[in-house]
Amino acid sequence: MSNGPVIHGSTKQQRYESLVATLYQDVYRYAFWLCKNKPMAEDLVQETFLRAWRSLDSLQNDKAVKAWLFTILRRENARQYERYRPELVDIEGQSVAESGENEPDARMDRELLHNAINRLDSDYREPLLLQVIGGFSGKEIAEILNLNNNTVMTRLFRARSILKQEFELDADELED
Amino acid sequence: MDELEFRKRLYANPNTPDQELLDAAQNNPDYQKILDETQELEADVNQLLSSVTAPQGLRDQLLNIPTQAEPEAATTVFPNRAAANSSYFQYYAIAAILLLAVGVTFSLMFNSGPSSAEIAFGNEVIQHLYVDEVEINAITAGTDSSILAMPVINQAMADSGTRLVNVDFLQGIPVRMAKPCPVLPAYQSAHLVIQGSQGAVSIIVVNNSPVSLEYTIRDDRFEGVVVPMGEGNMILLGESDENLDQYKDLFSEGVDWVI
């Protein structure tokens, strides 16, 4: 098991504030890559923390708080957006790909990688996001996604195989 | 170790390859090349995914949630003000009780349908089905024909604060899926999926407040019924042409609440 952050404080309010301070960046990152849209990610994060606040007393193991939050977010995303997702223009992708890179080649690589990640089927993208952003172990990912550990390992293998293949393919096409 | 095995194990967790992988890479230049390239790509993936940062102000909005969600908590922080307002509070309380009584009378006289909160609850449950859509589709299509053993079913029920009082009624009903269900994160609940005549039939038991009356829910695909039951609710949902009455009767009598 990965060492999840422990929330601090004796009152519900203090525990909640500690939860926000420790995890809001990771939760937002996960939301963004899950729904691929900044305003929707922001809404998802707000709804997630609202539900977390309401249910905080029922949280029995503070060490599992990160998995708990990610699970709430995942379900909220499924509930709100997976079925009724509006048509989105991916203007976010460009800004993420461009951020922090001045070299044209590096920017291009980031953009290709960004597109390759976004094209991944959600079955493969989700375990990858949970592993890279959440830092979860295979077992923890299996619990969050309600899969067995072997399936998670296979999906992580498939995710990176596809990513590598597509990224290299895109790069080759650009060179041609 | 062949190359496929090497790649499988490496791609599943490229940042912390085990010693066996490292040894294999050290003894084979081709494997070492795969390891280096994979870790290089992984570093890029890591950097890209981590480059997204939350918008300014989001943290403050999140910290404000408790005050927005429970504004009444603010009054309890200032006991002196609360005491000063106590006489007014009595009048407000009496007025609120009278209003409530009038409201209840009118609602009983003129409103025989579910409340907006109950409708929202029903919608939430239907939406939740789509979280398990892959499994439900497999059962409806007949590609999942597994039958769960009773201990698995009992565990899922126990996790929701319920138990089956009479397991005999499940004989002849193939239970394909049974698991704790997070439809309302604050409440325990269980989700069973059985094989109906038209496909998967979901039985969800939630230990939230019982709804005021039984009512039907539906969307483009699923149709179902919310049934108040003891200390909580039971929701049955199936494909729109499924006859749920038989299951409703069976499960209403077969499920008991453990408090």
Side-chain angles (χ1 to χ4, degrees), chain B residues 74-75 78-86:
Chain B
T75 60
F78 307 105
N80 291 338
R81 188 191 296 175
N85 289 337
S86 61

Side-chain angles (χ1 to χ4, degrees), chain A residues 33-164:
Chain A
W33 288 103
L34 203 60
C35 70
K36 309 174 194 173
N37 178 275
K38 285 181 180 173
M40 278 164 62
E42 208 173 327
D43 286 349
L44 272 176
V45 173
Q46 294 208 24
E47 189 60 35
T48 300
F49 276 93
L50 175 62
R51 283 172 184 264
W53 164 254
R54 287 178 177 158
S55 311
L56 197 56
D57 291 333
S58 68
L59 179 66
Q60 290 174 347
N61 178 7
D62 282 0
K63 285 185 177 173
V65 67
K66 193 171 186 178
W68 180 66
L69 272 182
F70 275 50
T71 302
I72 296 175
L73 191 142
R74 228 186 123 247
R75 287 176 185 144
E76 192 57 28
N77 179 54
R79 196 178 71 79
Q80 289 192 20
Y81 297 122
E82 275 190 353
R83 191 153 174 261
Y84 299 114
R85 186 180 292 281
E87 284 298 317
L88 298 172
V89 178
D90 185 20
I91 55 173
E92 321 291 356
Q94 200 178 0
S95 61
V96 172
E98 285 178 354
S99 61
E101 290 292 353
N102 295 321
E103 292 297 321
D105 284 352
R107 275 212 309 269
M108 185 63 72
D109 281 352
R110 282 170 68 89
E111 199 172 325
L112 292 177
L113 190 56
H114 180 105
N115 292 339
I117 292 172
N118 276 351
R119 280 200 303 266
L120 277 179
D121 187 276
S122 64
D123 280 352
Y124 303 125
R125 196 172 69 242
E126 278 203 56
L128 185 71
L129 297 179
L130 288 169
Q131 191 181 51
V132 177
I133 296 174
F136 296 113
S137 67
K139 190 181 166 199
E140 288 168 319
I141 296 170
E143 282 170 13
I144 293 171
L145 298 179
N146 201 20
L147 299 168
N148 70 47
N149 194 45
N150 287 339
T151 308
V152 169
M153 289 300 154
T154 304
R155 289 188 183 182
L156 285 168
F157 162 68
R158 288 282 298 144
R160 289 192 172 94
S161 300
I162 296 168
L163 215 51
K164 200 163 186 293

Side-chain angles (χ1 to χ4, degrees), chain B residues 77-78 80 93-94 102 119 135 142 155 160 166 172 178 184 205 218 231:
Chain B
V77 179
F78 307 105
N80 291 338
I94 292 168
V102 171
I119 292 170
E135 291 85 351
Q155 186 59 52
S160 72
N166 175 11
L184 297 179
V205 286
R218 65 172 62 84
E231 302 295 327

Side-chain angles (χ1 to χ4, degrees), chain A residues 13 16 25 28-29 33 42 46 51 53 55 75 79 83 110 114 131 146 153 156-157 160-161 164, chain B residues 8 11-12 14 37 42 49-55 61-62 65 70 124 127 130 179 182 185 219:
Chain A
Q13 178 79 28
Y16 175 78
Q25 283 286 7
Y28 177 80
R29 255 176 222 128
W33 288 103
E42 208 173 327
Q46 294 208 24
R51 283 172 184 264
W53 164 254
S55 311
R75 287 176 185 144
R79 196 178 71 79
R83 191 153 174 261
R110 282 170 68 89
H114 180 105
Q131 191 181 51
N146 201 20
M153 289 300 154
L156 285 168
F157 162 68
R160 289 192 172 94
S161 300
K164 200 163 186 293
Chain B
K8 268 188 176 174
Y11 286 9
E37 285 175 355
E42 187 63 15
L49 294 181
S50 305
S51 67
V52 172
T53 52
Q61 287 170 13
L62 299 176
I65 280 177
E70 293 177 46
E124 194 145 347
Q127 286 306 305
Y130 291 94
K179 61 178 192 177
D219 73 351

